[in-house]
Amino acid sequence: MRDADAPPRLPPFGIACAAAFAAGVVVAMQLRALPSSWLSGVACVAGLAAWFALGRWRWSGALMLGLGWACLQAGWAMSERLPATLARQDLVVIGHVTGLPERHDEVLRFDFIADRDGNPAGVAGSHLRLGWYRTKTDVTPGERWRFTVKLRRPRGVLDPGGFDFEKLALERRIAATGYVTDPDSAHRLGDVWTIDRWRAQDSQRIAGAVPSPGSRFLRALALGDTRFLTEADWDTLRETGLNHQVAISGFHVGVVASFGALLAWLLYWCVPSLGLRWPRPQAQSAMALLSGFGYAAMTGFQLPTVRTLLMIAAALLARIGRRPWSVPDALALALIAMLAVDPLAVLAAGFWLSFAGVAWLLWCLPHNTPQRSERVKLFVGGQGIVSLGLLPLTVWFFGQASLVSPLANLVGIPGFALLVTPLSIFGLALDLVWPAAGAQVLRLAGHAMDALWWVVTHMASWPGALFWLPEPHAFALAMALSGAFWLLLPRGIPGKPLAVLLWLPLLWPRMPEIPAGTADLAMIDVGQGLSLLVRTQHHALLFDTGPAFSGGLDLGESAVVPTMHALGVHRLDALVVSHGDNDHAGGADSVRRAFPVALRYAPAGWPKGQDYQPCLRDAAWTWDGVSFRFLHPPLYMPYLRNDSGCVLRISGPGWAALLPADIEAVVEQRLVREQPQLLRADLLVVPHHGSLTSSTPGFIDAVAPKLALVSVGLDNRFGHPKPAVVQRYVDRRIGLEDTASAGLVRVRLDATGARVVERTRERLLRFWHEPAAPSAMLATGAGAGAGGATR
């Protein structure tokens, strides 16, 4: 018998242990390198023993177990990635299509699970993401194919505020990405049944039954099929804070489970004698769990639905087993279960938003059953609580906030989750037994969605619907969460207005100052392309916008615009498109949609440059003590693509930078001959990504830079930068930095010259990030040998 004076023992599955377990997982995800598997295993065994053996300190065991288990799982996931020896080789793979394939014009993208047998070692059983270019062939979920492909380990660009594809690949266990290289050898082998095939068929049924535009939303809400939502749709949803509703939120699982419980109640009301065989509360719980599981299956067991399903299962199984579990205990058990099954789920923003939203509601709302007259008040108050409590996390993950979100959710949650989604699911179910009636219900859902979308789009047009914030620091997030906690404490707590001050580091951050006569240049990581952001004290200029591809990937939208927001750019004073090649001009439309620009420059004669001013030689202006001057092309020069590119010189007191775009040897020699005095610069952007057609020795000597920047994609098909070109810079002891190995590179230009102040891949490095390519490391080595010029 335990002594009455002994300290209380923590419950093993309570809030404290659940929070400690999650904290251990989060710590593991911050590591730059994973410990050995045996050390992680020891941590798991020791943590598990401490979790159940200790009393008030059992949380320390949970923390250790979370750390060790997350490291083990992450290590196993990383070991499944494609071996480096198989990268860029023609491989024959056999397997089946999974997920829902996406088509953009003649580009098909789909997920592919390689068979365990019949595939090369290192590929067998792997999850691949493939592209099939210039094809009109369609693949459907469950089809088995044999393809000849080229693969590479997951790799993406890395910029402040940008999308980290390598993190997504780890979370979803994607072992490699690649593309079909020999369409003629592609051969369909047969079929296997998958849930995704069922989803694709149901998606077609909705499209056939609902001719209205709302059909695309019905497919997203009922099936998780978001392939047909346009970028404008997503913009509207983000501006109103409703994107979580359309992207299959866990709330939808709860709604469907509630309808299952209601169905069981109606059945018992119609046949009371059923209560003699099985008590109604247990039957309602079982039906709710079964309904939630069925909906999760319909949506392909996406992560938000699985999280909520585990949460619901923890509470309902306790009720079925007649165990006395409180709602906080159910939440804690669901958190432990979710992280035990998949600790890498913490890499997803939705994980934190789901659990944090429920936690805020549990903290703030009364636990007793409200009177009917108070339910509307509690619903409105709940929206305010969630909006306020989740705002810091929304800014942290997405760098944006919506002022109309609370009001939009008051309309959107009942509309999306309580009306359109149930009608869509009911229509699909009814269509199986009575197609005519099912089609009518689906059309009714479509009309309801059209009306709801009309309201939502009008809300999105209101002033202040969405505003962007600079990339926050962890300190600012912690302060804002503390401020939210303070504001949501019970009434009567003194000093609540002071809590607003804790939000200031997040909502009004102090940005680094750029003195007059100084410039800050950021070479944005856009893969094989170019985009440079130049900021002076009060102005910003963008030189090129990165590529956009026919398969739907637009680096202007996914890399350049988020980076500018993260760096605190609110307006763009000038845009220079050096020439019309896709890798320099592809993202221009996306940039201009996000940042209306007054001054736009491009070479004369570029077919898409009708509303751009020509970037003619000797055109010049000055901002904040910094001079900008075009050195090329001259007047009357025809458009010759690379050789007619805009060459921009930027200079201030005691320093200069040269941005020559993709000019080649002929133009380099002309500049050396005609304007040698204007070429000398501290910083040079390597012409044409390090191609053999540029960076002639005479040009490099005329510029004589201390630092050179190369914008290249990892393992690009051109082999840029060429080793011979790299060697020219190495021989002259010029520091080299490249985006393939460093991500975004930020350089400060002032009276001391040019110095690197940030390499984003170095700052954000985690164990899932791929190392630099050999050519990129050679360039970095050149920089290290340049007498510290890059630091």
Side-chain angles (χ1 to χ4, degrees), residues 535-694:
R535 291 178 294 162
T536 63
Q537 188 175 38
H538 301 298
H539 295 81
L541 174 145
L542 186 68
F543 188 91
D544 287 340
T545 60
F549 302 102
S550 57
L553 178 61
D554 183 343
L555 272 299
E557 178 182 49
S558 62
V560 178
V561 170
T563 297
M564 293 171 65
H565 286 307
L567 294 178
V569 176
H570 300 293
R571 73 176 193 278
L572 196 56
D573 298 288
L575 170 65
V576 179
V577 176
S578 66
H579 62 296
D581 285 2
N582 177 64
D583 58 333
H584 293 251
D589 290 341
S590 297
V591 170
R592 291 182 59 179
R593 282 195 300 269
F595 294 92
V597 188
L599 296 175
R600 298 181 295 275
Y601 295 96
W606 176 39
K608 296 183 180 179
Q610 292 86 351
D611 59 344
Y612 288 75
Q613 300 179 46
C615 53
L616 296 177
R617 172 177 169 174
D618 294 331
W621 68 95
T622 299
W623 288 337
D624 310 318
V626 177
S627 299
F628 296 79
R629 180 172 182 169
F630 288 115
L631 306 185
H632 183 78
L635 187 63
Y636 305 125
M637 181 175 180
Y639 180 65
L640 300 175
R641 297 183 60 180
N642 288 351
D643 279 338
S644 59
C646 307
V647 176
L648 180 64
R649 185 178 192 267
I650 308 169
S651 60
W655 62 267
L658 189 65
L659 284 56
D662 279 1
I663 62 170
E664 299 184 356
V666 172
V667 177
E668 289 183 352
Q669 294 165 7
R670 180 173 182 172
L671 290 172
V672 171
R673 184 174 61 253
E674 296 179 358
Q675 304 179 76
Q677 71 283 0
L678 294 177
L679 290 184
R680 188 166 296 276
D682 300 276
L683 170 69
L684 171 67
V685 176
V686 174
H688 203 181
H689 318 284
S691 166
L692 287 173
T693 61
S694 305

Side-chain angles (χ1 to χ4, degrees), residues 399-754:
Q400 60 187 36
S402 172
L403 294 180
V404 304
S405 175
L407 182 59
N409 274 274
L410 288 176
V411 177
I413 287 181
F416 284 120
L418 302 181
L419 178 62
V420 178
T421 301
L423 280 176
S424 303
I425 296 172
F426 179 63
L428 281 174
L430 189 60
D431 186 71
L432 295 174
V433 295
W434 190 1
Q440 289 295 331
V441 173
L442 289 172
R443 279 193 282 272
L444 177 61
H447 292 315
M449 185 65 233
D450 290 338
L452 178 62
W453 190 242
W454 183 86
V455 175
V456 169
T457 51
H458 277 72
M459 286 185 173
S461 64
W462 293 354
L466 182 71
F467 61 95
W468 295 87
L469 293 165
E471 183 181 36
H473 295 285
F475 171 77
L477 174 65
M479 294 290 286
L481 288 172
S482 301
F485 179 80
W486 193 352
L487 288 172
L488 295 175
L489 285 171
R491 293 180 181 178
I493 300 296
K496 280 194 175 185
L498 296 177
V500 178
L501 299 177
L502 298 178
W503 288 75
L504 292 181
L506 183 77
L507 301 180
W508 194 9
R510 183 177 181 272
M511 301 302 296
E513 295 183 359
I514 303 177
T518 298
D520 195 279
L521 186 146
M523 175 174 276
I524 301 172
D525 186 5
V526 292
Q528 187 62 24
L530 181 67
S531 184
L532 293 138
L533 176 65
V534 182
R535 291 178 294 162
T536 63
Q537 188 175 38
H538 301 298
H539 295 81
L541 174 145
L542 186 68
F543 188 91
D544 287 340
T545 60
F549 302 102
S550 57
L553 178 61
D554 183 343
L555 272 299
E557 178 182 49
S558 62
V560 178
V561 170
T563 297
M564 293 171 65
H565 286 307
L567 294 178
V569 176
H570 300 293
R571 73 176 193 278
L572 196 56
D573 298 288
L575 170 65
V576 179
V577 176
S578 66
H579 62 296
D581 285 2
N582 177 64
D583 58 333
H584 293 251
D589 290 341
S590 297
V591 170
R592 291 182 59 179
R593 282 195 300 269
F595 294 92
V597 188
L599 296 175
R600 298 181 295 275
Y601 295 96
W606 176 39
K608 296 183 180 179
Q610 292 86 351
D611 59 344
Y612 288 75
Q613 300 179 46
C615 53
L616 296 177
R617 172 177 169 174
D618 294 331
W621 68 95
T622 299
W623 288 337
D624 310 318
V626 177
S627 299
F628 296 79
R629 180 172 182 169
F630 288 115
L631 306 185
H632 183 78
L635 187 63
Y636 305 125
M637 181 175 180
Y639 180 65
L640 300 175
R641 297 183 60 180
N642 288 351
D643 279 338
S644 59
C646 307
V647 176
L648 180 64
R649 185 178 192 267
I650 308 169
S651 60
W655 62 267
L658 189 65
L659 284 56
D662 279 1
I663 62 170
E664 299 184 356
V666 172
V667 177
E668 289 183 352
Q669 294 165 7
R670 180 173 182 172
L671 290 172
V672 171
R673 184 174 61 253
E674 296 179 358
Q675 304 179 76
Q677 71 283 0
L678 294 177
L679 290 184
R680 188 166 296 276
D682 300 276
L683 170 69
L684 171 67
V685 176
V686 174
H688 203 181
H689 318 284
S691 166
L692 287 173
T693 61
S694 305
S695 293
T696 55
F699 180 76
I700 298 176
D701 292 337
V703 179
K706 296 183 177 64
L707 175 64
L709 305 182
V710 193
S711 183
V712 289
L714 179 70
D715 294 335
N716 62 86
R717 61 191 179 96
F718 306 102
H720 293 161
K722 296 293 186 179
V725 173
V726 171
Q727 194 61 46
R728 294 172 195 168
Y729 289 91
V730 172
D731 292 341
R732 291 161 177 79
R733 299 187 60 79
I734 297 170
L736 274 169
E737 296 284 344
D738 68 286
T739 55
S741 62
L744 175 140
V745 181
R746 192 161 64 87
V747 179
R748 176 56 62 91
L749 296 156
D750 55 23
T752 64

Side-chain angles (χ1 to χ4, degrees), residues 188-232:
R188 186 176 180 274
L189 302 176
D191 299 283
V192 295
W193 187 88
T194 65
I195 290 177
D196 292 320
R197 167 164 288 199
W198 177 29
R199 293 172 63 206
Q201 293 170 350
D202 283 347
S203 181
Q204 291 299 320
R205 288 164 55 199
I206 292 177
V210 183
S212 70
S215 169
R216 65 189 188 278
F217 289 100
L218 267 58
R219 286 182 275 184
L221 291 167
L223 301 167
D225 183 4
T226 59
R227 294 175 296 172
F228 304 98
L229 298 183
T230 65
E231 192 56 42

Side-chain angles (χ1 to χ4, degrees), residues 12 64 114 152 231 323 335 343 369 467 483 568 604 627 702 717:
M64 186 181 299
R152 60 183 290 182
E231 192 56 42
R323 295 288 302 274
L335 179 59
T369 303
F467 61 95
S627 299
R717 61 191 179 96

Side-chain angles (χ1 to χ4, degrees), residues 751-776:
T752 64
R755 65 185 187 279
V756 174
V757 295
E758 179 186 342
R759 300 176 183 89
T760 297
R761 190 168 286 272
E762 181 180 282
R763 177 172 64 87
L764 301 180
L765 181 66
R766 298 293 184 270
F767 62 85
W768 58 77
H769 289 131
E770 286 296 300
S775 63

